[in-house]
Amino acid sequence: MGSIPALVEPAVLQWARESVGLTAVAAARKIQVPDGRVTLWEAGQAAPTISQLKKAATIYKRPMAVFFLAEPPTTFDTLRDFRRHEDAEVGEWSPELHAEYRRAIIQRDQLLELMDLEDEEPRTDWHIPDLPDSDDELASIAREKIIQISPLALPEGRSDPYAHLNMWSTGLEESGILVLTSSGGKVERREMRAFSLYFDQVPVIMVNGADYARGRLFSLLHEYAHLLLHTAGLCDTVTDMRATTPDRKLEARCNAIAAAILMPANAVLRRPEVVSRVNRQELWDYAALRSAAAPFGVSAEAFLRRLASLGRVETKFYHARRKDFLAAYEADELRQKATGGNWYRNTVRDLGKGYVRWVADAHKRRVIDSYTAASYLNVKVGQIERLGRDAALTQGLV
């Protein structure tokens, strides 16, 4: 059976390989065939066996049926850009990033199928139909909307960044957005910090699980700003205040909206650390910034940038101190970073608490059978109930 040739379209084989960012030689070695064999398949000079095609399907992360299409599919969309570190090299996506992008599409499709079974319309409360002219007003409306929708209280005065991340993530989920996290830190932060997929119903935001909680929170709201503006992407972390290209202007705008949502001007300006430093920007050190930023769940650098946008520090001061404060922030986070973790909580975080609750609840009420629920969650049947418990609203994120 394994030696039977698979009559597949060579162009589809090439498309599938390139879609995961593998060279022909790398693919051949993963499939365990001679180095030039994949090139011959894609040139139509040889055909894989059924057994080899099954291996290729696993490596390329595609269902077998895709390979029997007459031509490469055109409905597998790509993103123009990602939210990256500003010094990251822009190039081909890694196989890990391709896999996470496809997972986001698959989970959205499965959630829509589940909603259809439940005869329930997706929520679209995240929409702001008539966008105001002012981005500050847009941020104010968005902030109040998500705070009202979220079943969790805004953790005012609390420095735990995970409490802030949990509250905002839950609010966005309840508003109709599928919020996901990249699995196991497999995608490097330099390549992607977050991305969003715009749809009128069930848009998607994925943040990087390798990022720190404060970084994930800001990325989450940055991508929400993209959705509000009906754009999507894998975006640059733009820190310049006078971005010139259209793309960088958009990223700077989304940064500003995210900052205004998380750090309302009035709340920032009445912080005692800010009041005591009016016209005395030289007194801002990392400890003071960290203290002022804590109640908002953001990093010291993000708070300093917000001060610059509000005219409380000069832009040149922000740029002069930014790298030092970022280095201190990284050192801080590394000291506090937990190792290992609980598999169930990590899995819930990656799949999205809202998504897991949907699937586990439908399974509990026998709307879907055990096989379907396990398939939607990519777990064993015996793990479904525990995952559902760990996805409860009262459980925090990790």
Side-chain angles (χ1 to χ4, degrees):
M1 181 72 172
S3 62
I4 298 174
L7 302 179
V8 294
E9 171 58 44
V12 175
L13 284 171
Q14 181 177 347
W15 163 82
R17 173 181 60 77
E18 291 176 345
S19 76
V20 292
L22 288 175
T23 65
V25 171
R29 291 177 181 177
K30 285 179 177 289
I31 300 169
Q32 297 180 328
V33 295
D35 284 358
R37 187 64 54 83
V38 168
T39 300
L40 292 176
W41 293 346
E42 294 176 2
Q45 297 173 12
T49 65
I50 293 294
S51 176
Q52 290 166 343
L53 185 63
K54 285 181 178 179
K55 285 185 180 180
T58 300
I59 299 301
Y60 298 162
K61 304 184 188 305
R62 299 289 182 189
M64 280 280 286
V66 167
F67 295 95
F68 294 95
L69 294 173
E71 59 186 19
T74 57
T75 55
F76 289 83
D77 202 3
T78 56
L79 295 172
R80 61 170 178 81
D81 205 350
F82 285 107
R83 178 166 168 76
R84 307 171 184 262
H85 282 289
E86 60 194 74
D87 57 349
E89 294 181 6
V90 179
E92 295 295 321
W93 295 9
S94 68
E96 292 77 16
L97 181 52
H98 275 286
E100 294 293 16
Y101 172 72
R102 284 195 301 277
R103 175 167 73 88
I105 294 291
I106 290 169
Q107 278 195 238
R108 177 180 181 270
D109 288 343
Q110 290 171 335
L111 183 56
L112 287 170
E113 287 176 6
L114 191 53
M115 289 177 173
D116 188 52
L117 283 173
E118 297 269 35
D119 197 25
E120 188 160 334
E121 282 292 316
R123 295 186 66 172
T124 56
D125 298 321
W126 62 272
H127 273 287
I128 298 178
D130 299 314
L131 296 181
D133 294 332
S134 163
D135 281 350
D136 284 338
E137 187 180 351
L138 172 61
S140 178
I141 294 170
R143 175 182 171 85
E144 290 307 310
K145 179 184 283 284
I146 300 305
I147 288 175
Q148 289 177 12
I149 291 171
S150 180
L152 303 178
L154 183 68
E156 293 180 342
R158 291 179 58 187
S159 60
D160 178 9
Y162 290 99
H164 290 269
L165 180 60
N166 197 28
M167 176 268 161
W168 286 103
S169 295
T170 302
L172 291 175
E173 287 174 334
E174 292 294 303
S175 74
I177 298 172
L178 178 58
V179 178
L180 310 174
T181 303
S182 65
S183 304
K186 294 177 182 176
V187 179
E188 293 187 9
R189 286 189 301 150
R190 284 178 58 83
E191 181 177 25
M192 181 274 282
R193 297 195 75 175
F195 68 75
S196 55
L197 306 174
Y198 179 83
F199 300 95
D200 285 331
Q201 293 184 329
V202 194
V204 183
I205 294 174
M206 179 178 280
V207 295
N208 194 324
D211 210 348
Y212 307 118
R214 292 179 176 88
R216 281 153 55 192
L217 175 61
F218 198 90
S219 292
L220 180 73
L221 273 296
H222 175 103
E223 298 305 330
Y224 179 44
H226 267 291
L227 297 180
L228 290 174
L229 299 174
H230 293 199
T231 61
L234 216 164
C235 322
D236 293 325
T237 305
V238 176
T239 57
D240 50 316
M241 303 296 181
R242 295 174 182 165
T244 53
T245 68
D247 276 355
R248 290 182 71 79
K249 284 182 179 178
L250 176 60
E251 297 317 312
R253 185 183 181 190
C254 289
N255 265 354
I257 293 171
I261 292 174
L262 290 169
M263 297 172 279
N266 289 340
V268 169
L269 295 177
R270 64 171 175 260
R271 288 291 306 166
E273 299 92 341
V274 177
V275 172
S276 65
R277 287 168 175 77
V278 172
N279 298 324
R280 302 181 70 188
Q281 66 179 17
E282 70 280 359
L283 296 181
W284 281 111
D285 57 15
Y286 179 72
L289 283 168
R290 182 179 57 188
S291 172
F296 303 99
V298 300
S299 68
E301 185 273 335
F303 192 82
L304 180 62
R305 191 189 330 153
R306 182 65 170 142
L307 290 176
S309 71
L310 294 172
R312 285 296 185 267
V313 300
E314 296 175 358
T315 302
K316 65 180 181 181
F317 178 85
Y318 165 74
H319 285 296
R321 301 292 181 91
R322 177 176 175 272
K323 286 190 176 180
D324 290 341
F325 290 151
L326 274 178
Y329 164 68
E330 290 277 342
D332 244 6
E333 294 291 347
L334 282 173
R335 281 193 295 270
Q336 299 172 28
K337 189 175 177 64
T339 58
N342 179 288
W343 179 87
Y344 284 96
R345 294 189 69 191
N346 288 342
T347 300
V348 166
R349 176 202 66 183
D350 296 348
L351 294 174
K353 287 176 64 178
Y355 177 84
V356 174
R357 284 198 303 274
W358 260 97
V359 176
D361 183 59
H363 176 250
K364 185 177 181 180
R365 292 183 290 106
R366 300 186 179 180
V367 175
I368 55 176
D369 59 27
S370 296
Y371 173 82
T372 302
S375 175
Y376 279 6
L377 298 173
N378 195 28
V379 298
K380 297 176 182 177
V381 171
Q383 297 168 327
I384 298 171
E385 184 179 352
R386 170 70 185 276
L387 285 171
R389 290 200 304 270
D390 279 20
L393 289 171
T394 53
Q395 294 292 330
L397 285 173
V398 291

